[in-house]
Amino acid sequence: MSTQTSIEWTEMTWNPIVGCTKVSPGCKHCYAENMAHRLQAMGTPGYENGFKLSLRPEKLREPLLRKKPTIYFVNSMSDLFHEKVPDHYIDQVFDVIRDATQHTFQILTKRAERLADYFTKRTPPTNAWLGVSVEDKAYGVPRIDCLRKVNATIRFLSAEPLLEDLGEIDLTDIHWVIVGGESGNKARPMQQEWVDNIHRQCDEYGSAFFFKQWGGWGADGVKRSKKANGRLLNGQTWDEIPLLNLA
C-alpha cells in the first residue's frame, strides 16, 4: 500500500515507479538511492532491483482504494519523467490521479524539459501539483521556465538540497517554494543568507514559503543531527501552503 511519510510538506507517498539515475548536483547524496538499497537488503517486495528503474503497475490503483482525502507525494523513490519511463505509463499514472478526485498529488521532477514536452498536448489534472527541483543556478534555475510552460493548478519549486545562493529568480506564476538543507553524513552546508534571499522573493511575488529543515548543518554553521538542527528560521517555523495564498 501507499506509505505514510515524515516528509513535512505531504501526507503519504505513492510509488508506482522506483529507481532513478543522477542528472545534477542535487542527486549526489540521494536519500532514495540509499533507502532503496536498504529495502533491497531487507527483501522488501518491489525493491528486488535495488535502485534500478522499475515500473510497478501493481501499485497504480492504490490511491483509488483510499477514500479519505489525502495529499500524496508521487514517486518519492523515483522521477515520473525519467527518460526510461514510457509515455503510456505516465498516462496511466495521470489517469489514476484524474479518477482519484478526493486526493491531491504532488509531482516533483528534475527532468523539467520532459515535463514541459509531455504536457504540450495534454492538460494536467486539476488535483495535480507539478514541481521542479532547484538546487543551484546552473541546473536548477533553468527548470523554472520549463515548469512555467505547464498550465498546472499549482506550480512549485523544491530548493532542497539548497547548494548555493540562487540570486534573483523569477517566481512569476510559481505558487509554492519549499527550501531545505541536505541531511545525512555527507551533507553539504546551507547558509541562512541563501534561504533569506528566497524567502524575501517569495514575499515579493506572493509565493507561499515552506522551510523544511536545516538538515545536517545548523544556521550557525555547526554540523549536528537533522533533528537537533530543527526547522526554525529566524525564530519560527514557516509552513505556508499555496491554497492559502491563492485568491
Side-chain angles (χ1 to χ4, degrees):
M1 294 296 290
S2 301
T3 306
Q4 289 189 324
T5 178
S6 61
I7 299 172
E8 291 83 354
W9 46 265
T10 195
E11 293 177 343
M12 298 189 76
T13 59
W14 171 42
N15 284 290
I17 307 166
V18 297
C20 200
T21 51
K22 293 177 170 61
V23 293
S24 64
C27 302
K28 185 175 183 180
H29 303 141
C30 179
Y31 77 90
E33 181 177 20
N34 294 332
M35 184 180 296
H37 289 310
R38 287 199 301 270
L39 293 171
Q40 181 185 31
M42 293 165 57
T44 304
Y47 292 89
E48 293 82 2
N49 296 323
F51 204 53
K52 182 179 179 181
L53 192 133
S54 304
L55 306 184
R56 305 170 77 194
E58 72 278 6
K59 296 288 184 179
L60 281 170
R61 291 185 52 81
E62 282 187 352
L64 298 173
L65 304 178
R66 182 175 175 85
K67 302 305 180 184
K68 180 182 177 181
T70 300
I71 301 174
Y72 281 98
F73 177 24
V74 182
N75 286 323
S76 63
M77 298 295 291
S78 185
D79 188 326
L80 181 62
F81 293 97
H82 191 283
E83 56 273 13
K84 290 188 177 180
V85 180
D87 276 0
H88 69 80
Y89 194 79
I90 300 175
D91 290 342
Q92 292 180 63
V93 171
F94 280 109
D95 285 344
V96 172
I97 291 173
R98 285 187 183 88
D99 290 342
T101 56
Q102 71 273 32
H103 302 317
T104 298
F105 295 85
Q106 300 162 325
I107 299 163
L108 180 65
T109 185
K110 288 185 174 71
R111 277 83 173 174
E113 291 183 356
R114 188 177 182 199
L115 166 74
D117 182 67
Y118 176 83
F119 282 112
T120 54
K121 297 181 180 179
R122 299 173 176 87
T123 301
T126 56
N127 59 334
W129 297 9
L130 301 180
V132 295
S133 298
V134 184
E135 72 266 42
D136 64 8
K137 289 186 280 190
Y139 289 86
V141 171
R143 295 176 182 139
I144 302 174
D145 284 336
C146 293
L147 175 63
R148 218 181 332 259
K149 295 177 182 177
V150 182
N151 188 27
T153 302
I154 297 294
R155 301 181 196 87
F156 71 97
L157 311 180
S158 174
E160 183 193 4
L162 182 60
L163 300 178
E164 65 177 347
D165 186 1
L166 299 182
E168 296 297 309
I169 51 179
D170 182 1
L171 295 179
T172 303
D173 295 327
I174 301 300
H175 306 104
W176 194 25
V177 181
I178 302 162
V179 179
E182 191 168 44
S183 56
N185 292 332
K186 298 180 180 180
R188 292 161 284 185
M190 176 180 69
Q191 296 182 22
Q192 178 162 344
E193 291 81 3
W194 307 348
V195 184
D196 288 339
N197 181 43
I198 296 174
H199 192 189
R200 171 185 60 81
Q201 294 181 78
C202 285
D203 285 344
E204 292 173 357
Y205 281 89
S207 305
F209 176 80
F210 192 107
F211 184 65
K212 181 174 178 286
Q213 64 181 32
W214 282 103
W217 295 83
D220 55 2
V222 176
K223 191 171 186 180
R224 306 182 187 87
S225 70
K226 168 185 167 180
K227 182 177 180 180
N229 284 323
R231 301 186 56 232
L232 293 181
L233 174 67
N234 296 318
Q236 70 176 87
T237 55
W238 300 89
D239 292 340
E240 296 173 2
I241 59 173
L243 289 181
L244 299 181
N245 289 264
L246 292 177

